[in-house]
Amino acid sequence: MKREGRRPLYLYGHSMGGAIAALYLEKHPEVFTKAVLSSPMIEMLYWQFFTICRWRQYCLFASVLNWNDKYLPSQTQYTDEYDFESSCCLSKARYDYIYKCKVEEERYRTNGATYRWCRAGRKASKYIKKHDTGN
């Protein structure tokens, strides 16, 4: 928090962090001097084979079965498997750097999306869009 005589606070949020930052800034605009939201997850993209209607039905079904922590189709938990060839990364040097960071530092390891994560993201997106002031 800001203190008397302390430097200004800046906020950086990317993707889901950008959505969380947007929600925080709305309720506490006085905390940060400036904020950068990089690709904030305001609107989630769904797979091509899901229409919004089918997506809602699928999530309802998953909720009834208590699949909160189950991964969405094609999503998995973190593994340290090296697989540049089938990744979406175009730079081997970048892939190698990120891979090394994830192997060495547990907090950089990311998992695939779960149903709980997806519902939370969708709820945050709806809230942000409903309360958009255009600023």
Side-chain angles (χ1 to χ4, degrees), residues 11-26:
L11 175 64
Y12 175 81
H14 175 72
S15 191
M16 175 62 100
I20 293 167
L23 292 168
Y24 186 86
L25 289 168
E26 181 184 14

Side-chain angles (χ1 to χ4, degrees), residues 41-54:
M41 193 178 81
I42 305 300
E43 179 68 45
M44 294 178 70
L45 297 177
Y46 301 96
W47 301 279
Q48 290 178 351
F49 58 88
F50 276 129
T51 63
I52 293 298
C53 181
R54 285 181 64 199

Side-chain angles (χ1 to χ4, degrees), residues 21-29 127-128 131-133:
L23 292 168
Y24 186 86
L25 289 168
E26 181 184 14
K27 293 186 179 188
H28 308 282
Y127 181 89
I128 290 168
H131 294 89
D132 180 19
T133 62

Side-chain angles (χ1 to χ4, degrees), residues 22-84:
L23 292 168
Y24 186 86
L25 289 168
E26 181 184 14
K27 293 186 179 188
H28 308 282
E30 74 288 348
V31 174
F32 293 95
T33 305
K34 295 180 182 179
V36 174
L37 306 182
S38 166
S39 298
M41 193 178 81
I42 305 300
E43 179 68 45
M44 294 178 70
L45 297 177
Y46 301 96
W47 301 279
Q48 290 178 351
F49 58 88
F50 276 129
T51 63
I52 293 298
C53 181
R54 285 181 64 199
W55 175 247
R56 288 183 183 143
Q57 291 171 344
Y58 198 71
C59 282
L60 178 62
F61 179 72
S63 180
V64 169
L65 294 176
N66 197 26
W67 285 359
N68 291 327
D69 298 320
K70 185 175 172 127
Y71 292 103
L72 294 166
S74 81
Q75 301 289 297
T76 62
Q77 69 182 34
Y78 169 81
T79 69
D80 61 359
E81 178 183 342
Y82 184 90
D83 191 14
F84 171 72

